[in-house]
């Protein structure tokens, strides 16, 4: 890389790519800079001021999330002035923000409290009752909003607009009354909201949280184990994290909720649809099939072994083909199967039963 793409960070010469911000460069170099309103999927707004850094030649501290790296810049990401700034900033945020980290973690990770602890931000600057209000009558089953924990960073509203493209929520009201709301404060169910849950995952304070685990009194974030897996609902193959309470169900474990992996780490870039994000309750549902069932002569279903069930299926298929011809059969497979499994289904249809009536919704 040429000299034109170098700058000095904390006394060290580092390279950068065109278009990178100072925050991008600093993170790549392993610096830990608070960045409460930053999400790499969103256009920077420089709203929270937590990511400020020192830049030679600039009297003021500059927002690293919104400042493009330029050749020859001399930048400091830490130091006494920045520590003073961050401590004061977090103390101001804490003035009308809940302080109890254990309680906050029932909703989700609270980056503000974590950074405030790290910078030993004073908690005795007086406490103001937040004037922000939520929408207590929102009957949507998935997204809960605790206005008192909101720092108005706008990540949720920008995500809803820039990534999800539906603008169901926005910053409303003025001054200390500013809050996140829908048009006229109506339920998300009555808006363009697609219940993707992206506003929850991008929220840095847990103000936006998954509603169902809260109502159920599920274990806090710190007691959950994240298990990375592939969503089984369609053929896209999105990556998601199952949050498992290993102590639930007498040690058998329970999936408490689904969260998105960090943006940039997976093919779906930390985005999910409503099914992948919220429809995991089938895992423990009492109606879930856990063993094959075969219908008896009297029409009732009874439990059976796999051998019995497969034999009954083969008899049924063969009976239809013999009586009405092979094209009386149709094989519908699932995008939840692997490519190999779908290959075997079409092989069964074509090679064994001699029909091309075979389909699978992802058409792989
Ligand atoms: S769930 Fe998705 S669509 Fe609905 S408000 Fe949140 S980000 Fe917007
Ligand atoms: S709800 Fe969360 S993401 Fe939205 S503005 Fe408040 S703190 Fe930011
Ligand atoms: S992350 Fe840069 S101002 Fe908020």
């Amino acid at each position: 890389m040429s000299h034109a793409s170098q700058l000095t960070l904390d006394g060290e010469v580092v390279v950068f790519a065109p278009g990178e911000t100072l925050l991008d460069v600093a993170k790549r170099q392993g610096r830990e800079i608070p960045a409460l309103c930053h999400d790499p999927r969103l256009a920077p707004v420089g709203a929270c001021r937590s990511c400020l850094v020192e830049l030679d030649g600039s009297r003021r501290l500059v927002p690293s999330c919104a400042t493009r790296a330029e050749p020859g810049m001399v930048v400091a990401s830490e130091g006494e002035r920045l520590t003073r700034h961050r401590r004061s900033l977090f103390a101001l945020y804490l003035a009308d923000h809940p302080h109890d980290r254990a309680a906050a973690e029932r909703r989700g990770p609270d980056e503000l409290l974590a950074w405030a602890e790290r910078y030993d931000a004073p908690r005795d600057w007086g406490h103001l009752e937040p004037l922000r209000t939520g929408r207590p009558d929102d009957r949507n089953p998935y997204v809960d909003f605790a206005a008192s924990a909101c720092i108005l960073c706008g990540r949720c509203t920008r995500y809803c607009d820039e990534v999800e493209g539906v603008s169901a929520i926005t910053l409303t009201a003025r001054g200390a009354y500013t809050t996140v709301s829908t048009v006229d404060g109506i339920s998300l169910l009555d808006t363009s909201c697609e219940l993707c849950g992206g506003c929850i995952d991008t929220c840095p304070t847990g103000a936006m949280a998954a509603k169902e685990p809260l109502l159920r009194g599920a274990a806090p974030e710190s007691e959950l184990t994240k298990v990375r897996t592939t969503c089984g609902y369609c053929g896209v193959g999105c990556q998601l994290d199952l949050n498992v309470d290993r102590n639930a169900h007498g040690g058998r474990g329970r999936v408490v909720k689904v969260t998105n992996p960090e943006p940039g780490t997976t093919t779906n870039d930390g985005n999910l649809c409503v099914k992948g994000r919220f429809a995991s309750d089938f895992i423990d549902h009492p109606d879930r099939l856990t063993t094959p069932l075969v219908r008896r002569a009297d029409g009732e279903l009874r439990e059976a072994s796999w051998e019995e069930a497969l034999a009954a299926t083969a008899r049924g298929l063969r009976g239809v083909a013999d009586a009405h011809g092979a094209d009386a059969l149709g094989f519908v497979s699932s995008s939840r199967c692997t490519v190999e499994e779908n290959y075997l289904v079409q092989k069964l249809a074509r090679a064994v039963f001699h029909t091309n009536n075979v389909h699978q919704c992802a058409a792989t």
Side-chain angles (χ1 to χ4, degrees), residues 35-38 46-51 63 65:
L36 295 174
C37 71
H38 174 73
C48 75
R49 317 312 280 176
S50 66
C51 72
C65 69

Side-chain angles (χ1 to χ4, degrees), residues 302-322:
R302 68 166 174 82
E303 291 190 0
S305 67
W306 279 106
E307 289 71 24
E308 277 180 275
L310 287 171
T313 307
R315 274 198 307 279
L317 290 171
R318 180 53 67 200
V320 171
D322 289 347

